[in-house]
Structure formats: C-alpha cells, structure tokens
C-alpha cells in the first residue's frame, strides 16, 4: 500500500500525529498537504513528547523524507524555530523538503487574522490567530507570496508592494492600525531565505518519482473534515482542504495513486473554537472528559470543547473522504464511565435526520439521538490486542464501526507510540 492519506474525521486533534508516526518506520515520505502552524500534532516516543506544528510528524523517524507540500501555508519564522528546537533535542531535520509553490504567511496576514476576529465580535470564528485564513485568501485572490518568490528580490518586492497597497488601506482605514512597510515585510521574509534554499524542491516530481519506484508515501492532514473549507461547518472552519481531495491538490499527487484513506476519530468528540457541535457536553461530564483526556489545545492551549462520539459526523466523513479505515483514539479516556452514549442520528425540530442536515440552521438546531453502551472499569492502557480489551470496550468499538460504516483498523489506548491495538495493517 504505497500511498495512504491520514486525516481527521471530526473537528481536529483526533491524534493524527500519533497515527502518522505509527506508520513512519515503514514509510519513505510523509507529506503535510494543507494548513500551517494552526495545527498541533503530538507524538510521544519513549515518554518524550513532541508537539509539531508546521513539520510533518515523519520528521521524527530517521528513514523518512518529510515534505511540506504546495498546499501548506508557511510561517518561515515558526518553521525555523521548530527546526531548531528539534535539533536541540537530537532530531535530524536535514532531509526536509519544502515545495517551491507553497505560500508564505506574510506578517500583515497575522495582523489581519487577529484584527478581523476582534472586528467580528460575537460572530468570530475563534481562529488560532496564525494568519492562516488571510494567507489562503491571498492565494485564491492571486496576490499571495510563494516560497519561490523569496529567491528573486525584484519579484518579491513587486508582489509585496501590490499586496500592501490593499492591506494598508484595510489596516489603517478600517481597523485603525499602523501601516506596514514593504521593507519590514521583506526583511522578515528574507531572514531565513538562505537557510531555506537547499530544502526547496519540486515536491510533486519527487513524490511521483518515489511512487514510481514503489516507495511509500503517507499524506498527513492538518485540521479535519468538519473544519474543511468545503465540507466542514462553514463558516466555522479553517481555510484549507483538509479532506482526502486536499491530499491530491496539496501535494501534486493524483487521486489514482492513493490506495487508502484513513480517518482518525477520538472515541468521543472535541472541538476548539466557535461553531456548532451537536453532542457537546456543557456539564460536569464534559469537564470530566476534558480533564481525563487532557483536552487543552496543542497550539493555543485553549480548553477544548468536549462531547460524545457522533456517528452522523463519522458517516459523513466516511462519505466525503471515501474512508477505507478508521483509527479510533483515546479509548482509554472513557474508562470508568458507567454508560457511554453515541449519537446515531439527529432530531431537528421534531424530524429525524440520519445523515448530516443539508442546511446550516438545521445543523445548529440538531439534537442528538443517542444510543447508550455499557462502559468498563478495567485499565486498558496495557492492552495490545483486541481480545485483551474488556468485552464492553470491544462492543463499544464494534458499535462505532457498525454505525460509522467504516472498519476500525487501529485503536489507541494511550498517547505513547506503543499504546495501540492494530486490527488491520494500514500499509498492507
Ligand atoms: P492531532 O492534531 O490530530 O495530531 O492531535 P493532537 O496531538 O492535537 O491531540 C491528540 C492528543 O491525544 C495528544 O495529546 C496525543 O498525545 C493524545 N493521544 C493520541 N492518541 C491517544 C490515545 O489513544 N490515548 C490517549 N490517552 N491519548 C492519545
Ligand atoms: P490539528 O491539525 C483543532 C480551528 C480553530 C478555529 C478554526 C479556524 O491539530 O487537528 P484557523 O486558525 O485555522 O483559521 O482557525 O479551526 N483549528 C483547529 N482545531 N485542531 C486543529 O489542527 C486546528 N486548526 C485550526 O480553533 O476554530
Ligand atoms: Mg492538534
């Protein structure tokens, strides 16, 4: 199975970093294809915790070539802070490749992200404030700055002048901020340009040649299906394509080459930022899930909103991504609950919806219809095979598989690399 997409089946933070890391020892390339440093992917190896934002998780595995694809937006300062922090911990990032067509997060876009959110007030998205949305907006608006522009100062200056002409009107006249100069922007963007140069590559060519040679490529998504700009809970989404199609456009590898699409889902649900979340628990149980699951953002430290597993969402994720497998994570967090509800459908103003409502207002008003499963009290963190799990935990996983309509191939029982039950090999 040479080409496997690993993506979020909920609202992010499902454990994509760990799932990717799990495959990395048998993988040649790990490509990040969307998003930027809004992501926070945690990998725990021998008790050592790594939080990756911009770098693909494959950077932690010595045999892997980590690739930042063309679909990513790059904050260059963050990139090198992250690289240096890994070097300080003994990780060798020298194999990293960066697409020449990836877009750069210019400093004005960080500012615009923050002031726009403030301006929106009650209608804010709850973004990570990293400049992600404005940078993708510039890309679509055809005024973005790309990695290759950094190596031609004349073109870079022209492009920044053009962009700032618009941005400064907005910053000064609408948001009452100071104007940003072309020179300060160029200075920031060029600070690390020489260091970046040897990493820049024609990454679609490299990846397709690798596949021609029978190499294995894992596509590691940032964010998740429900945060996808097309398929998520718009406008409470990120600004990139976090679904399976994004793996193709964001890397330059065609859909005919993808063998498997793996959705990662927590055994319950979390969400950071604003927007609808039908199974959200605003009570003591929600707080218990947050505490027990350590549900605080990897990137912003914000408390994550928590709720029960939503099978309507995972069925939807199965459909829009063409999922072949589910990885269910954090089953261990549910240990100790007497009953575990799972949303199997929604009630919208008295009408049952088995699938995602067509309309955003209906989704806002969706009340989960729950089916309850018996819990377990045994510590499952040392279980390494499905049969090791208590019968009720097995039944719970089988129920998720059945209601979601996608086979559960791997189950997480702890944050560590080893704390995993494998039912089907994702690379076989
Ligand atoms: P990502 O953004 O999808 O990579 O997920 P995050 O790293 O933001 O959040 C997932 C959190 O859950 C991290 O702290 C992981 O270390 C942790 N984690 C992943 N899988 C498991 C699991 O099976 N059990 C437990 N207890 N923690 C897990
Ligand atoms: P990983 O890859 C969870 C959320 C933000 C906000 C919305 C838009 O770790 O799963 P943005 O800054 O992207 O414009 O914010 O998307 N968000 C995430 N939530 N996990 C993430 O990444 C996220 N990346 C963005 O909280 O609601
Ligand atoms: Mg995360």
């Amino acid at each position: 199975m040479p080409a496997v997409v690993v993506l979020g089946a909920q609202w992010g933070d499902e454990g994509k970093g760990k799932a990717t890391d799990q495959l990395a020892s048998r993988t040649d390339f790990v490509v990040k294809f969307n998003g930027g440093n809004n992501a926070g992917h945690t990998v725990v190896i021998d008790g050592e915790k790594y939080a990756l934002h911009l770098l693909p998780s494959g950077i932690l595995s010595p045999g892997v070539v980590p690739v930042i694809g063309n679909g990513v937006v790059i904050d260059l300062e963050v990139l090198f802070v992250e690289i240096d922090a890994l070097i300080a911990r003994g990780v060798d990032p020298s194999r990293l490749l960066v697409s020449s067509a990836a877009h750069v997060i210019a400093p004005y876009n960080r500012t615009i992200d923050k002031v726009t959110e403030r301006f929106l007030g009650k209608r804010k998205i709850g973004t990570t404030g990293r400049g992600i949305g404005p940078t993708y907006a510039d890309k679509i608006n055809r005024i973005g700055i790309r990695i290759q522009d950094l190596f031609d100062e004349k073109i870079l200056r022209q492009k920044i002048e053009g962009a700032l002409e618009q941005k400064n009107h907005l910053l000064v006249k609408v948001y009452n901020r100071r104007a940003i100069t072309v020179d300060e922007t160029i200075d920031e963007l060029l600070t690390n340009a020489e260091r970046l140069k040897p990493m820049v590559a024609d990454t679609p060519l490299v990846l397709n040649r690798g596949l021609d040679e029978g190499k294995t490529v894992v596509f590691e998504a940032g964010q998740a299906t429900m945060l996808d700009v097309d398929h998520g809970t718009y406008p409470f989404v990120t600004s990139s394509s976090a679904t399976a199609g994004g793996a193709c456009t964001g890397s330059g590898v065609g859909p005919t080459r993808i063998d498997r699409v793996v959705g990662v889902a927590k055994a319950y649900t979390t969400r950071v930022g604003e927007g609808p979340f039908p199974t959200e628990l605003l009570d003591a149980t929600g707080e218990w899930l947050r505490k027990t699951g350590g549900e605080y953002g990897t990137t912003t430290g914000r408390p994550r909103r928590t709720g029960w597993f939503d099978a309507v969402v995972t069925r939807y994720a199965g459909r829009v991504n063409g999922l072949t497998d589910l990885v269910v994570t954090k089953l261990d967090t549910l240990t100790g609950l007497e009953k575990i509800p799972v949303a199997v459908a929604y009630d919208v103003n008295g009408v049952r919806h088995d699938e995602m409502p067509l309309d955003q207002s209906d989704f806002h008003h969706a009340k989960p219809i729950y089916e309850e499963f018996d819990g377990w009290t045994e510590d499952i963190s040392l279980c390494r095979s499905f049969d090791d799990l208590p019968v009720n935990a097995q039944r719970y996983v089988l129920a998720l598989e059945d209601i979601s309509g996608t086979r559960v191939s791997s189950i997480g029982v702890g944050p560590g690399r080893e704390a995993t039950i494998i039912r089907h090999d994702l690379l076989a």
Side-chain angles (χ1 to χ4, degrees), residues 305-369:
R305 300 159 64 192
T306 53
W308 299 124
F309 189 90
D310 188 335
V312 183
V313 164
T314 41
R315 273 203 299 278
Y316 178 75
R319 202 155 58 237
V320 300
N321 293 296
L323 293 184
T324 56
D325 301 82
L326 266 184
V327 167
V328 171
T329 62
K330 304 192 95 161
L331 187 65
D332 52 303
T333 302
L334 299 180
T335 300
L337 289 167
E338 206 174 309
K339 294 279 179 194
I340 311 172
V342 169
V344 295
Y346 302 138
D347 178 307
V348 183
N349 304 322
V351 178
R352 182 182 168 110
H353 285 246
D354 285 298
E355 299 303 341
M356 193 64 69
L358 187 65
D359 186 277
Q360 59 186 345
S361 306
D362 283 354
F363 191 63
H364 272 276
H365 295 123
K367 300 249 175 324
I369 298 173

Side-chain angles (χ1 to χ4, degrees), residues 8 11-16 32 36-42 52-53 113 117 125-134 221-224 227 235-240 270-275 298-300 302 304:
W11 275 281
D13 304 323
E14 298 91 345
K16 298 175 291 291
K32 187 177 160 96
N37 58 315
N38 47 349
H41 292 194
T42 316
L52 301 160
H53 299 286
D113 190 358
E117 281 282 278
I125 311 289
T127 73
T128 58
R130 303 296 195 260
I132 305 293
Q223 293 74 56
L227 290 173
F236 301 101
V237 293
T238 190
S239 299
S240 70
T270 63
R271 172 165 204 171
V272 199
E274 307 301 317
T298 312
T299 296
T300 57
R302 289 179 288 179
R304 293 176 182 149

Side-chain angles (χ1 to χ4, degrees), residues 171-239:
L171 283 172
V172 176
K173 293 184 184 149
V174 178
Y175 294 123
N176 204 20
R177 306 283 289 216
R178 75 169 178 87
I180 292 174
T181 68
V182 176
D183 284 337
E184 70 183 290
T185 307
I186 290 182
D187 280 353
E188 181 186 313
L189 294 184
L190 291 187
T191 305
N192 290 302
E194 283 313 306
R195 226 182 133 189
L196 178 71
K197 207 169 188 176
M199 303 172 193
V200 178
D202 182 346
T203 51
L205 184 66
V206 172
L207 292 170
N208 279 286
R209 282 207 175 135
L211 287 169
D212 291 344
E213 290 163 10
K215 301 236 163 93
T216 300
V217 180
V218 172
F219 302 78
E220 179 184 7
Q223 293 74 56
T225 304
M226 301 308 278
L227 290 173
D228 180 278
V229 69
D230 283 88
H231 299 292
T233 47
Y234 191 90
F236 301 101
V237 293
T238 190
S239 299

